[in-house]
Amino acid sequence: MRTIDIDLPDHGYPVHLGRGLLQDDSCWPAHLGDGEILVVSNETVAPLYLDTLLQALGNRQCETLLLPDGEQFKTVDNWQRILDRLVEIRARRDAQLIALGGGVVGDITGFAAACYMRGIRILQAPTTLLSQVDASVGGKTGVNHVKGKNLVGAFHQPAAVVIDSATLDTLPAREFNAGLAEVVKCGVIGDTAFFDWLEENADEVAARDEKAVDYLIERSVRNKAAIVRKDEKEAGVRALLNLGHTFGHALESETAYRRFLHGEAVAIGMVTAARLSERRGLCDGGTASRIASLLRRFDLPVDIPGDLGVQEIANALMLDKKAVSAGLRLVLLKAIGDAVIDASSPHEDIVSAINDSRL
Ligand code: NAD
Ligand code: GLY
């Protein structure tokens, strides 16, 4: 087992990494308080891993709650179901939730933990690549509102994160690749050597070679930890993690969240942001195509489908919650490994970059 400490003032926590950790009964007890335990999972992940986790928790009495599977269920109603269950089992302040699943289960369960009795303990057991390298670390929790993704939420850091990379063995290829988009993003925003490593080892990564996958998870978590330590509540540098997300969210909302997985939309968004950076003269020509080439090796889309309207996407961008009145606040690139936050892109450059990115 390897451990990365997220050493935040007052509420630091460990991220444990390793194969088979879910069933490692030495991993859990240190992070559990005396109170009730409610494990939240979904109907896809529970049949695969719930028994393993419950066995590792051994002699502790556990309640379980299974949510329906899908981003469309990341709602206030399902958050309420977790709270109802906590009330039903008379959970006290020293109770804890364990989120077993991908980012959807992690975000919604984390938000319930943030709110129940003004905050109880949550342990994250992420089972998708995307949630292992990104969503489970850093304390962003929340649910979607009909008017927008992640519009309701809170910062609430977990008590521990237990990443069992063996759970990825059952993850469908498309979901695995979507997680790789966030891994590539991690290199693009601040770790050139990692980006180079991903290029050099793309075949092993695409083939899910265990050593390569364990390495990229650890390096991504270390990078995210460094950013969260500097800026827990996204007052500054943490916003760099949103590279590709503003364009990505516009694509997701324009396609009613049905066409792209989150990571796929981020892949297209990242390349669009790089094309805009080139157009603005911020980075060298060829930057976008280098990023696109790597993403293609992981079967990720990099262009905006031609049937989506430029104007519609541009309008959706302006609704993004990260848009500010002074101008659309975007993460742009000076180079691979050197991202900046910039609100000075003229509207016509943004529209041109969308056009450049359309098939
Ligand atoms: P997800 O939770 O929907 O999981 C993807 C699919 O994989 C689901 O069908 C799930 O049931 C299934 N699955 C999970 N683990 C599996 C396994 N081991 N084997 C087989 N199937 C498995 O999606 P995701 O990509 O994990 O997370 C996306 C969510 O995360 C979005 O809601 C996004 O907003 C959120 N997110 C949050 C943060 C954060 O900082 N909190 C960061 C990035 C993304
Ligand atoms: N996924 C973006 C963040 O954690 O800030």
Side-chain angles (χ1 to χ4, degrees), residues 100-115:
L100 174 69
V104 168
V105 167
D107 278 11
I108 193 170
T109 309
F111 188 41
C115 299

Side-chain angles (χ1 to χ4, degrees), residues 134 137 140 185 224 234 238 241-242:
D134 190 355
V137 178
K140 278 191 182 175
K185 178 200 78 179
K224 180 148 187 189
E234 200 171 305
R238 185 164 178 171
L241 292 169
N242 297 325

Side-chain angles (χ1 to χ4, degrees), residues 42 69 71 74 102-104 107 127-128 140 149-150 167 170:
N42 75 20
D69 185 5
E71 181 72 37
K74 193 172 138 181
V104 168
D107 278 11
T127 60
T128 61
K140 278 191 182 175
K149 197 167 143 72
N150 295 331
T167 58
T170 53

Side-chain angles (χ1 to χ4, degrees), residues 16-230:
H16 300 303
L17 306 112
R19 285 189 172 256
L21 276 193
L22 214 50
Q23 60 200 338
D24 183 343
D25 54 10
S26 67
C27 181
W28 296 95
H31 306 300
L32 292 170
D34 291 336
E36 298 73 15
I37 301 173
L38 174 59
V39 180
V40 180
S41 189
N42 75 20
E43 55 206 6
T44 304
V45 177
L48 296 167
Y49 300 111
L50 183 59
D51 281 351
T52 309
L53 173 63
L54 294 179
Q55 269 172 32
L57 296 172
N59 52 7
R60 291 294 300 265
Q61 160 88 23
C62 293
E63 301 288 332
T64 57
L65 174 64
L66 303 192
L67 302 176
D69 185 5
E71 181 72 37
Q72 70 273 34
F73 299 110
K74 193 172 138 181
T75 56
V76 170
D77 284 353
N78 280 308
W79 167 78
Q80 171 89 48
R81 283 182 62 197
I82 303 175
L83 298 179
D84 289 349
R85 191 60 180 276
L86 287 167
V87 173
E88 202 180 292
I89 65 171
R90 297 170 188 269
R92 297 159 299 176
R93 269 183 201 287
D94 58 356
Q96 45 256 297
L97 288 163
I98 301 180
L100 174 69
V104 168
V105 167
D107 278 11
I108 193 170
T109 309
F111 188 41
C115 299
Y116 186 72
M117 292 193 172
R118 299 197 183 85
I120 61 169
R121 184 182 278 262
I122 162 111
L123 284 84
Q124 292 283 357
T127 60
T128 61
L129 182 61
L130 187 139
S131 58
Q132 295 185 352
V133 298
D134 190 355
S136 63
V137 178
K140 278 191 182 175
T141 73
V143 295
N144 300 330
H145 185 273
V146 278
K147 296 279 184 201
K149 197 167 143 72
N150 295 331
L151 274 186
V152 182
F155 284 97
H156 184 64
Q157 300 293 341
V161 182
V162 177
I163 297 180
D164 180 348
S165 51
T167 58
L168 301 180
D169 293 348
T170 53
L171 191 68
R174 192 174 166 205
E175 295 289 350
F176 182 82
N177 293 339
L180 287 176
E182 300 281 7
V183 173
V184 171
K185 178 200 78 179
C186 169
V188 173
I189 61 176
D191 189 349
T192 319
F194 186 33
F195 188 90
D196 294 343
W197 181 91
L198 287 165
E199 284 183 328
E200 280 153 26
N201 295 276
D203 290 342
E204 289 82 352
V205 170
R208 303 204 207 185
D209 170 81
E210 287 185 8
K211 227 172 122 206
V213 170
D214 285 351
Y215 176 76
L216 69 82
I217 294 172
E218 181 167 347
R219 186 128 179 185
S220 302
V221 172
R222 284 193 190 283
N223 273 300
K224 180 148 187 189
I227 290 179
V228 171
R229 274 184 211 116
K230 277 192 216 142

